[in-house]
Amino acid sequence: MPKTLCKELKKHGNSAQKLVFMLRLKIPKRMSSKFYQRDTSVWIYRAAIVDGMTLYEQDGVFIHINVNTHTSDKNAHLPGKIYLLQKPEGTFVEWKAEELVSVDSHSEQDWAMISSVGYQPDRGSDTANDQRNERKRYNVSFDVLDLKSFKRSAPNHGWAYIIFILKDGTTYPAVHFHNGGSKALLKQLEKFVHIRRSPTDSRLFIVQDQDPQALSMSFDELNLFQDTQGDLVTKFMKDPYTATMGGFSKVTNFLRDVLMQEDPKSPVEKIKDIIHEDIPGMEINTKEEPGYELVSKTKLPSRPEVKRGDPLTSQQWSKHMDKEGRIINIDEVKDQIFRGGIEHALRVDIWKFLLGTYEWDSTFASRVVTRKRKLDDYFRMKLQWTTIRVEQEKRFSTYRDRKTLIEKDVTRTDRTHKFFEGEGNPNLQVLNDILLTYCMYNFDLGYVQGMSDLLSPILVVMENEVDAFWCFAGFMERVCDNFQMSQEGMKTQLSQIHKLMQYTDPELCNYLESHDSGNFYFCFRWILILFKREFSFTDAMRLWEVIWTDRPCKNFHLLICLAILDTEKTTLMENKFGLTEILKHINDMSMAIHLEETLMKAEGIYLQLKNAKHLPDNVKEILGFPTSSPSSSGSAPSSGKTTPVNADIRASPIPSRSNTPVSVPLTTVGYGKGASARYQPVNTSENGQKSSSNGLSGDESIEILPDSSFSSFSNYS
C-alpha cells in the first residue's frame, strides 16, 4: 500500500498537484503528531513532503537591498515570499525572491513569463540569468534548529522586519513584512523552538539551546553505569556516595568530549580564511604582537544626542566662493560636509578640494593652470608604462606582477554597478590604466589588492581619467599605510581600536579578548578599504567625504568601528558568539549597517571621550587631543572642538607628508596622434641638490614618442 501511494505521488509534478492528489485521498493538509502513529499514513505523509509541506506562507515580504535607501526607491526593495516548510530533513524557514518563485513554478515553460511584478525576459536571455543569479544571493533557507536568535524591528519603525541569526554567526538580511504576518510566523516558530527575550535588548530574542534526542537518551544509552542492575544496587547500598558520583563523573566526561571539542583551526587561521574570501590574495601577518597596555576602567560621561544635517547644496557652495573663485569660510564648509555630506552633482568639484587636487584658497585662474600641469604629469607617467615593450616586460618582473594583479582585480571590481557592468566596458580599461599609472607615480607602493575598491567610486564621480587619478592619489596619501607589506599600519590601527574600547566599553572588550577576538582582526576589511564593502556605493561616498573633512578629530574612522560594534554588542554577547561566529556575523553585516545612525553614535562616543576627565594619554594621542607630554605624539594635536548640533567641529589639519611627490613642469603639451612628449625635470631639494620625483630618473632631458593609439588623450584636456 505505501509503495503504491508513493509511486502515485511521484507522478504528479509540482507541490500543488500533490496537494490535490492528497485531498482526493482525504488526507488532512495539517498533520498532527498522532498522524505518525498510523504506519500507512506515515508513508503517505513522507511521500507528500518530498518537496516540503507548507506550514506557513506569506507574500509581500521584501528584502531591502540597501538599508539606507529611502523607501520610495522601489529598486532597493526585492519582493518575495517567506515560508515555514516541513521537510524530511527538518523544519525550514525559507525566503525566495518573487521572480524566482515564478520561475520555479513554471520551470518547464520556455516562453516569457508575466508575474505580479512585471514582465520577465525569456529564461534563456543573459539579462534574465544575471537578474536571477543576483536575486539568488539574497535567498534565505535554514533549519529552525540552527537558529540562534533573531531581531525584531522597533514598534515605531514602520514595516515590521525580522533579522535571523544562526548558531554559526550567519546573519541574514532583514525580511520586511509589507503586508504584515511577522507575528504569525513567530507563533509558528514557537512550536519548534523555545524563545526568550533578551534582558538587555528588547528587540533581541534568544533561542534556547535544546536537543530533544539527547535529552531523551537514557543513562543506559550513555553507558554511564556499566554494572548490572543487581551489582549497581549492591554498590549503592554499600557506598551510595561513590556509586552516584562515579556515574556523574561519566556525565561530565561525556559533556566534555562531545560539547567542548576544540576546533583544529587556530584563531589566526580562521581570520585568514575570512579575509581571503573578502579580498582574494590578501594575506595577514600572523606574527604575534606584544601584549596590550592595561587601561583602568573609568566611568564616561553620558553620551549626548547628536543630530545630522542636510547635504551641502550648490547654492550654499557658491556662497562660500568669492569672485575670483577662492573658498571662504573653509571651516564652515567642512563642518557642513561633516554634518550632512555633499549633493551628488557637487562631488565632482568639491572632492578635488577635499583630496588635495586643488588648494582651498586657489582661484579660478590658478586651478586652470594646476589642472593643465596635472594633465601633462599624468600622461607623461602613463607613457612610461605604455611604451614598455614585450622584451622589456620579460625582464621587469615587478611591473609584470603588478600588471597581472591589476588586470585580475579590475575584472571583478564593482561589476554589478551600472558604470562597470557588461563585457567590454571601456570604463574597466580606464580603471586599469589609472592603477598602472599609479604604479609609476608611487614606485615604492605600487599596487596592492584593495586599491581598486578605493578608485572605483572616485572614477564614477569624476568620469574623467586624469581627475580620477589625482583624486585617487590624494586619497592614497591618507590611507597608504593600510597597504604596507609589513602591515604595520593595519596593526597599529587595530591596536588603537583595542585601546579605545578598553576605555569606552571594557565589558565588550573583555568579552572579545576572552573569545580569541582581542586582536580585532574582524575589523580588517573595514579599515583596509574604509568601509567600502559595508555600504552601498552612495553611502560609501557619503561616509568618505565625511571622513575627508578630518572632523571632529583624528582617526574618526576608528570611532566609527566602535559605533558599529556598540550596536552589535548585545547580539555578540547574548548569543555567546566565539571567534568563528563573530567573524561570520561581522562579514554578513555588509549592506545592513545604518549609516546615519552609525555616524551619530560615533560622534556621540567622541563627545564622551572629549568630555571625560583623566583621559589616558594613549587615548588622547589616538584622537589628536593635547597630551600631558606633547613630545610623545608624532603629530600636531587636534583642537578637538565640537558640539552635538551646530558648533565648531574642526580639528587640526593632517600634516603633509614629507615624501609628497613634487610636480614636474613640462615643456610641451598636446597629445594628438604622432605628438611627442618632452619634459625636463628641474626639481631641487631644500639643500639645492637635484632630485627626481614620481619615479623619474635624474636625466636632464627625456624624450618619449607615444604610439598612435594615444590620439584620444586630447579628450581629457
Short mmCIF file of all heavy atoms in Angstrom, two decimals, residues 8 25 33 44 49 173 195 273 291 298 318 331 339 343 350 425 441 451 457 480 488 529:
data_model
loop_
_atom_site.label_atom_id
_atom_site.label_comp_id
_atom_site.label_asym_id
_atom_site.label_seq_id
_atom_site.Cartn_x
_atom_site.Cartn_y
_atom_site.Cartn_z
N GLU A 8 2.27 6.87 -6.94
CA GLU A 8 1.23 7.76 -7.43
C GLU A 8 1.59 9.22 -7.21
O GLU A 8 1.39 10.08 -8.06
CB GLU A 8 -0.11 7.44 -6.74
CG GLU A 8 -0.75 6.15 -7.18
CD GLU A 8 -1.13 6.18 -8.65
OE1 GLU A 8 -1.58 7.24 -9.11
OE2 GLU A 8 -0.97 5.16 -9.34
N LEU A 25 -7.50 11.86 -1.63
CA LEU A 25 -7.39 10.73 -0.72
C LEU A 25 -7.95 11.05 0.66
O LEU A 25 -7.89 10.22 1.57
CB LEU A 25 -5.92 10.30 -0.57
CG LEU A 25 -5.27 9.70 -1.82
CD1 LEU A 25 -3.79 9.44 -1.54
CD2 LEU A 25 -5.96 8.42 -2.22
N SER A 33 0.60 15.17 15.45
CA SER A 33 1.59 14.17 15.87
C SER A 33 0.98 12.78 15.92
O SER A 33 1.67 11.78 15.76
CB SER A 33 2.14 14.55 17.25
OG SER A 33 1.07 14.63 18.18
N ILE A 44 2.38 7.93 3.57
CA ILE A 44 1.73 8.96 2.74
C ILE A 44 2.31 10.32 3.06
O ILE A 44 2.60 11.12 2.19
CB ILE A 44 0.21 8.93 2.97
CG1 ILE A 44 -0.37 7.59 2.54
CG2 ILE A 44 -0.46 10.07 2.22
CD1 ILE A 44 -1.84 7.42 2.90
N ILE A 49 5.75 15.14 1.52
CA ILE A 49 6.61 16.26 1.84
C ILE A 49 7.97 16.15 1.17
O ILE A 49 8.95 16.73 1.62
CB ILE A 49 6.80 16.39 3.37
CG1 ILE A 49 7.48 15.13 3.94
CG2 ILE A 49 5.47 16.64 4.06
CD1 ILE A 49 7.84 15.27 5.41
N PRO A 173 19.95 39.01 5.76
CA PRO A 173 19.38 40.36 5.65
C PRO A 173 17.97 40.40 6.23
O PRO A 173 17.26 39.39 6.23
CB PRO A 173 19.39 40.63 4.14
CG PRO A 173 19.44 39.28 3.51
CD PRO A 173 20.21 38.41 4.44
N ILE A 195 11.86 30.27 22.88
CA ILE A 195 12.35 31.63 22.63
C ILE A 195 12.22 32.46 23.90
O ILE A 195 11.20 32.39 24.59
CB ILE A 195 11.55 32.29 21.49
CG1 ILE A 195 11.67 31.47 20.20
CG2 ILE A 195 12.04 33.72 21.24
CD1 ILE A 195 10.74 31.94 19.09
N ASP A 273 41.20 32.89 6.63
CA ASP A 273 40.23 32.35 5.69
C ASP A 273 39.17 33.39 5.34
O ASP A 273 38.81 33.57 4.17
CB ASP A 273 39.54 31.11 6.28
CG ASP A 273 40.49 29.93 6.37
OD1 ASP A 273 41.54 29.97 5.69
OD2 ASP A 273 40.20 28.98 7.13
N GLY A 291 51.87 42.29 24.19
CA GLY A 291 50.62 42.44 24.93
C GLY A 291 50.13 43.87 24.95
O GLY A 291 50.87 44.83 24.71
N THR A 298 37.25 53.68 33.79
CA THR A 298 36.78 54.98 34.24
C THR A 298 35.39 55.20 33.69
O THR A 298 35.13 54.93 32.52
CB THR A 298 37.72 56.11 33.76
OG1 THR A 298 39.05 55.82 34.18
CG2 THR A 298 37.27 57.45 34.32
N SER A 318 28.18 77.99 -3.66
CA SER A 318 28.51 79.24 -4.37
C SER A 318 28.64 80.41 -3.42
O SER A 318 29.42 81.34 -3.67
CB SER A 318 27.44 79.53 -5.43
OG SER A 318 26.17 79.69 -4.83
N ASP A 331 36.36 76.44 7.14
CA ASP A 331 35.94 75.61 8.27
C ASP A 331 34.43 75.39 8.26
O ASP A 331 33.95 74.30 8.58
CB ASP A 331 36.36 76.27 9.59
CG ASP A 331 37.86 76.24 9.79
OD1 ASP A 331 38.49 75.27 9.33
OD2 ASP A 331 38.41 77.19 10.38
N ARG A 339 28.62 67.28 8.65
CA ARG A 339 27.30 67.10 9.23
C ARG A 339 26.32 66.43 8.28
O ARG A 339 25.44 65.69 8.72
CB ARG A 339 26.76 68.47 9.67
CG ARG A 339 25.51 68.44 10.48
CD ARG A 339 25.70 67.83 11.83
NE ARG A 339 26.70 68.51 12.63
CZ ARG A 339 27.34 67.96 13.64
NH1 ARG A 339 27.11 66.71 13.94
NH2 ARG A 339 28.23 68.62 14.33
N GLU A 343 25.79 67.17 -1.97
CA GLU A 343 24.90 66.76 -3.06
C GLU A 343 25.74 66.09 -4.15
O GLU A 343 26.84 66.54 -4.46
CB GLU A 343 24.16 67.97 -3.63
CG GLU A 343 22.98 68.42 -2.80
CD GLU A 343 22.16 69.49 -3.51
OE1 GLU A 343 22.64 70.02 -4.55
OE2 GLU A 343 21.06 69.80 -3.03
N ILE A 350 33.90 69.39 -5.45
CA ILE A 350 34.36 69.55 -4.06
C ILE A 350 35.34 68.45 -3.66
O ILE A 350 36.24 68.68 -2.86
CB ILE A 350 33.14 69.57 -3.12
CG1 ILE A 350 32.22 70.74 -3.50
CG2 ILE A 350 33.57 69.72 -1.67
CD1 ILE A 350 30.98 70.87 -2.64
N ASN A 425 33.32 46.68 -21.25
CA ASN A 425 33.02 48.03 -20.77
C ASN A 425 34.29 48.88 -20.80
O ASN A 425 35.28 48.53 -20.16
CB ASN A 425 32.46 47.95 -19.34
CG ASN A 425 31.88 49.27 -18.85
OD1 ASN A 425 32.44 50.33 -19.11
ND2 ASN A 425 30.77 49.20 -18.15
N TYR A 441 53.65 56.43 -10.49
CA TYR A 441 53.64 57.58 -9.59
C TYR A 441 54.22 57.23 -8.23
O TYR A 441 54.93 58.02 -7.61
CB TYR A 441 52.20 58.07 -9.44
CG TYR A 441 51.99 59.21 -8.47
CD1 TYR A 441 52.30 60.52 -8.83
CD2 TYR A 441 51.46 58.99 -7.20
CE1 TYR A 441 52.09 61.57 -7.95
CE2 TYR A 441 51.24 60.02 -6.32
CZ TYR A 441 51.56 61.32 -6.69
OH TYR A 441 51.35 62.36 -5.82
N MET A 451 43.11 48.37 -3.59
CA MET A 451 43.18 49.73 -4.12
C MET A 451 42.10 49.98 -5.17
O MET A 451 41.58 51.10 -5.29
CB MET A 451 44.56 50.00 -4.73
CG MET A 451 45.68 50.11 -3.72
SD MET A 451 47.24 50.54 -4.55
CE MET A 451 48.36 50.55 -3.15
N PRO A 457 34.72 54.25 -6.83
CA PRO A 457 33.76 55.34 -6.64
C PRO A 457 34.27 56.69 -7.14
O PRO A 457 33.48 57.52 -7.62
CB PRO A 457 33.53 55.36 -5.13
CG PRO A 457 33.92 54.00 -4.67
CD PRO A 457 35.06 53.60 -5.55
N CYS A 480 47.65 55.15 2.57
CA CYS A 480 48.71 54.28 2.00
C CYS A 480 49.31 53.35 3.05
O CYS A 480 49.77 52.25 2.72
CB CYS A 480 49.79 55.13 1.34
SG CYS A 480 50.65 56.26 2.45
N GLU A 488 52.16 47.05 9.14
CA GLU A 488 52.31 47.78 10.39
C GLU A 488 51.20 48.82 10.56
O GLU A 488 50.72 49.05 11.67
CB GLU A 488 53.69 48.45 10.46
CG GLU A 488 54.84 47.49 10.67
CD GLU A 488 54.67 46.66 11.93
OE1 GLU A 488 54.29 47.24 12.97
OE2 GLU A 488 54.90 45.44 11.87
N ILE A 529 39.84 49.16 3.42
CA ILE A 529 39.23 49.92 2.30
C ILE A 529 38.15 50.87 2.81
O ILE A 529 37.25 51.25 2.07
CB ILE A 529 38.66 48.95 1.23
CG1 ILE A 529 37.75 47.92 1.85
CG2 ILE A 529 39.79 48.29 0.48
CD1 ILE A 529 37.13 46.96 0.83
#
